[in-house]
Amino acid sequence: MSSSSSTLSHLSLSLSSSSFIHKPNFLYPTTIHYLHFNPKFVSLSTKRTICASSSSSSSQLMDPFLSKTQPPIPTTVHVDLGDRSYPIYIGSGLLNQPHLLQRHVHGKRVLVVTNTTVAPLYLDKVVDALTRGNQNVSVESVILPDGEQYKDMDTLMKVFDKAIESRLDRRSTFVALGGGVIGDMCGFAAASFLRGVNFIQIPTTVMAQVDSSVGGKTGINHHLGKNLIGAFYQPQCVLIDTDTLNTLPERELASGFAEVIKYGLIRDADFFEWQEKNIHALMARDPNALAYAIKRSCENKAEVVSLDEKESGLRATLNLGHTFGHAIETGVGYGQWLHGEAVAAGTVMAVDMSYRLGWIDDSIVKRVGEILKQAKLPTTPPETVTMDMFKSVMAVDKKVADGLLRLILLKGPLGNCVFTGDYDRKALDDTLGAFCKS
């Protein structure tokens, strides 16, 4: 990402009507799926409908008579984790509202962790937001190299070096400014430094805004597998300024939509149908479509995290396509494929296996392939990743239990899935054989 990659003018993210996209119902109900525990698998079947948990009403966002000098009211989605609950602020121009960040900084020292791509674009703005009218706060920054290939222990040590050299204490706050790699590394550093300091997420990619910044998964990669070293550690808040997507390259934009599509497939069929009608608007960066997709994705993620923070069952379903996808990322080398690209191909493989097991009909297979192609995402793994490579990497996946590889697969009507190790191994072999060389 660079400043030259931005070809878009400033986009207002008010939720006013649009002439060419399917307008969502902003009192749109959300569906919670309840777990039925079985020694062999976890299934998601029984449902009930509740109202979406966000504090900004549509009338506030759509009122054309709001004063132009009044800052926009952010949509707020709450992650309910008792005394560790926190808000997700979503909206345009939120980095110009210092109080949103400052209310979550409890000490006088802040360390902003960012990378060489994002720093020239947004570091000064974030420092200003943290210190404007609040001169008691001092801000340090550490700028890391950009890319998944740097999500490792050596790069993580640069964060600790800066924190120790700056003599930060336990009342310090770390701020993650960037995409998923920065968020994961900054969060893990915050969880580890002095055995835990506060941190804030400011995600600047679609991938991070709709998924990785929410829920407290932090960590780094190992050369034998992705995200094998880390901790569950929740932020104080997540601030999503949707204006940061204006400078996001097209490839990164598309990559993030893989996670958006996932939510529809595993638990929110109505959202998937909305995506099918609006995928071209999303690819064109229509502000209304982006704002709704981010909000709805965060609501889905927040609901799941609130019910299963440490991934004992339900939360694992958020990893549809990830077991295959992580094998792709590891197999080709970190950074060669973007995370969302690998997840997209992995999702196609998981859907294919679900169909081979007789758990879904072919219409779902076709719909998944079509929407991923429209999002300009890959639907097959690279030829260099062989069946043996898949099996080797998948054997050390975090979802392996007692030597049994558990997978997230679709089962039943659209919007339903299972997290299970109870499946015909021949179906897995047949899927791998259909997509890669032996």
Side-chain angles (χ1 to χ4, degrees):
M1 187 194 320
S2 68
S3 56
S4 63
S5 69
S6 174
T7 59
L8 300 180
S9 60
H10 178 82
L11 298 176
S12 170
L13 289 184
S14 66
L15 298 179
S16 57
S17 63
S18 170
S19 60
F20 66 92
I21 71 166
H22 172 76
K23 296 192 294 293
N25 176 358
F26 291 99
L27 298 179
Y28 189 101
T30 182
T31 303
I32 279 190
H33 302 254
Y34 290 89
L35 280 174
H36 296 274
F37 285 95
N38 178 295
K40 293 184 178 180
F41 64 86
V42 175
S43 70
L44 300 175
S45 57
T46 305
K47 309 176 185 179
R48 72 181 175 90
T49 300
I50 64 171
C51 290
S53 172
S54 58
S55 64
S56 178
S57 70
S58 58
S59 60
Q60 287 175 314
L61 289 171
M62 298 176 68
D63 186 354
F65 300 105
L66 283 175
S67 167
K68 291 183 179 180
T69 61
Q70 180 180 347
I73 300 172
T75 295
T76 305
V77 175
H78 296 279
V79 182
D80 185 6
L81 291 170
D83 60 1
R84 291 174 299 108
S85 299
Y86 56 93
I88 307 167
Y89 304 117
I90 306 168
S92 171
L94 299 192
L95 288 177
N96 296 321
Q97 299 188 45
H99 67 281
L100 294 175
L101 283 178
Q102 292 182 16
R103 67 175 59 155
H104 297 285
V105 176
H106 304 300
K108 296 182 179 180
R109 307 291 303 281
V110 175
L111 176 64
V112 179
V113 181
T114 187
N115 64 34
T116 52
T117 300
V118 176
L121 298 169
Y122 302 113
L123 179 56
D124 288 347
K125 181 171 281 193
V126 169
V127 172
D128 177 67
L130 288 164
T131 58
R132 192 189 312 169
N134 190 21
Q135 298 305 315
N136 290 328
V137 170
S138 63
V139 180
E140 305 285 346
S141 63
V142 56
I143 301 174
L144 306 178
D146 185 14
E148 185 81 30
Q149 64 270 36
Y150 300 108
K151 188 179 172 182
D152 58 20
M153 190 64 75
D154 289 342
T155 307
L156 182 69
M157 283 298 158
K158 298 180 186 299
V159 181
F160 294 130
D161 290 346
K162 184 65 176 181
I164 295 168
E165 290 167 1
S166 302
R167 299 184 181 180
L168 300 186
D169 58 33
R170 282 181 169 166
R171 284 183 54 80
S172 302
T173 298
F174 286 12
V175 174
L177 173 63
V181 171
I182 288 295
D184 284 6
M185 294 184 69
C186 178
F188 189 34
S192 307
F193 181 64
L194 303 179
R195 297 193 173 93
V197 297
N198 289 342
F199 89 106
I200 291 169
Q201 289 270 20
I202 306 179
T204 60
T205 66
V206 174
M207 174 66 66
Q209 291 179 1
V210 303
D211 186 68
S212 64
S213 69
V214 178
K217 278 189 176 181
T218 72
I220 57 174
N221 299 329
H222 188 276
H223 72 274
L224 294 177
K226 186 175 165 70
N227 293 334
L228 295 181
I229 304 165
F232 288 98
Y233 196 69
Q234 302 296 338
Q236 297 298 299
C237 75
V238 179
L239 187 140
I240 299 174
D241 187 334
T242 50
D243 289 352
T244 59
L245 300 183
N246 293 355
T247 52
L248 194 65
E250 293 296 324
R251 187 181 172 196
E252 288 275 3
L253 183 80
S255 174
F257 292 144
E259 298 285 4
V260 176
I261 292 166
K262 167 197 72 181
Y263 292 116
L265 292 174
I266 64 171
R267 68 189 314 268
D268 196 342
D270 289 340
F271 186 32
F272 185 80
E273 291 169 2
W274 178 89
Q275 294 166 27
E276 290 179 309
K277 296 173 183 176
N278 289 279
I279 188 63
H280 295 298
L282 289 169
M283 294 297 291
R285 306 184 194 232
D286 179 270
N288 298 338
L290 284 173
Y292 180 71
I294 293 166
K295 170 180 175 288
R296 189 71 203 102
S297 297
C298 286
E299 287 171 343
N300 271 295
K301 183 74 177 279
E303 289 165 2
V304 171
V305 171
S306 296
L307 292 168
D308 179 22
E309 179 187 4
K310 299 293 181 68
E311 201 169 282
S312 60
L314 175 62
R315 185 170 180 176
T317 63
L318 296 174
N319 291 307
L320 176 70
H322 285 58
T323 304
F324 295 102
H326 286 172
I328 292 171
E329 289 184 85
T330 304
V332 299
Y334 298 128
Q336 298 302 307
W337 275 44
L338 296 178
H339 177 63
E341 294 171 339
V343 166
T347 296
V348 174
M349 296 177 75
V351 170
D352 176 86
M353 182 174 167
S354 302
Y355 177 69
R356 290 177 187 274
L357 289 166
W359 291 355
I360 59 173
D361 62 52
D362 62 351
S363 67
I364 295 178
V365 179
K366 293 175 182 176
R367 291 171 71 182
V368 171
E370 181 61 26
I371 196 170
L372 290 173
K373 288 176 183 176
Q374 290 179 344
K376 300 179 181 179
L377 287 166
T379 56
T380 57
E383 293 184 358
T384 54
V385 183
T386 65
M387 183 183 296
D388 288 342
M389 291 171 69
F390 265 105
K391 289 185 173 182
S392 175
V393 177
M394 292 166 78
V396 296
D397 186 87
K398 297 183 295 298
K399 293 176 288 299
V400 171
D402 298 324
L404 181 66
L405 175 61
R406 298 176 296 172
L407 295 170
I408 296 86
L409 301 167
L410 302 186
K411 189 171 187 178
L414 183 70
N416 292 271
C417 67
V418 293
F419 172 44
T420 180
D422 185 19
Y423 54 82
D424 185 348
R425 294 305 184 269
K426 183 177 183 301
L428 175 58
D429 288 341
D430 288 347
T431 290
L432 292 175
F435 283 89
C436 55
K437 297 178 180 179
S438 60

